[in-house]
Amino acid sequence: MTLTTSLGPIVLELEKERAPITTANFLRYVDARKLDGTTFYRALRLGPDTGLIQGGIEGDPKRAFPPIAHEPTSKTGVLHTDGTISLARLAPGTGRADVFITVGAIPFLDAHPEKPGDNTVLPRSGTSSRAWTSSAASLPRLPRRPRAKA
C-alpha cells in the first residue's frame, strides 16, 4: 500500500498477521477515506538521530471510529525500529487513526515489564519512505494546530 503525501510516497508493508486488530483498523480508515486530506501535523526530534512525525485525524469526531483494543509490542513482536509506523494513543485502548513514523529506532516506545502500555506498531514503512522521513525529521518541532470548536 502507498500513502501519497506532498513530500512523496510512503510505501507501507502491513503487519496483518502480527497486529491484526491495528492493521484492520488502519485499513478501515483508508477504505472509508477518513484519512484523505489529513496532514502530518507534528515533528519531534527525540535525539540526534531519532524522532517521529505524527499525522492523522487529530481527534476529529466526524472522522473517528470507536477506539480499538490495544496490541502491545510484547504481543506482536513488532518493535519501534527505523521507519516503523505506530498507532498513537493516550492510553491502552484509546487508539483510533493518528499514527507516527519513527526516524531511527525508538526502543523506549516498546513494551517493557515495568511499562506494559506501549504503543501498537501497525505497519512498517518501506525503504522508499526513508528520504521522506529524513526530510520531514529535519523540520523544527511544529506547533499543534488549534482544534476547531465543536
Side-chain angles (χ1 to χ4, degrees):
M1 144 175 263
T2 302
L3 292 179
T4 303
T5 77
S6 61
L7 292 176
I10 301 172
V11 178
L12 303 177
E13 300 167 14
L14 301 179
E15 291 282 358
K16 289 190 260 187
E17 292 77 28
R18 297 198 289 172
I21 295 168
T22 308
T23 300
N25 179 69
F26 180 75
L27 291 173
R28 176 173 62 157
Y29 279 93
V30 169
D31 292 343
R33 304 183 66 90
K34 291 190 178 260
L35 296 174
D36 290 6
T38 60
T39 63
F40 283 91
Y41 54 83
R42 178 183 297 154
L44 299 172
R45 188 179 323 264
L46 301 174
D49 298 319
T50 61
L52 60 87
I53 301 99
Q54 186 172 349
I57 65 169
E58 284 193 89
D60 180 350
K62 293 177 183 160
R63 291 182 184 250
F65 290 121
I68 61 167
H70 186 61
E71 288 180 302
T73 60
S74 56
K75 176 182 175 187
T76 66
V78 185
L79 304 177
H80 291 90
T81 58
D82 185 38
T84 299
I85 297 183
S86 189
L87 182 64
R89 47 88 185 154
L90 297 172
T94 63
R96 293 180 188 258
D98 288 278
V99 297
F100 59 87
I101 302 173
T102 60
V103 178
I106 308 176
F108 71 82
L109 293 176
D110 298 331
H112 299 284
E114 66 282 356
K115 184 190 72 136
D118 65 321
N119 290 16
T120 303
V121 174
L122 72 125
R124 169 137 174 80
S125 60
T127 55
S128 65
S129 69
R130 186 70 229 155
W132 189 93
T133 56
S134 293
S135 61
S138 67
L139 296 171
R141 182 173 177 184
L142 302 175
R144 195 167 179 80
R145 288 189 326 226
R147 294 189 193 268
K149 298 208 191 287

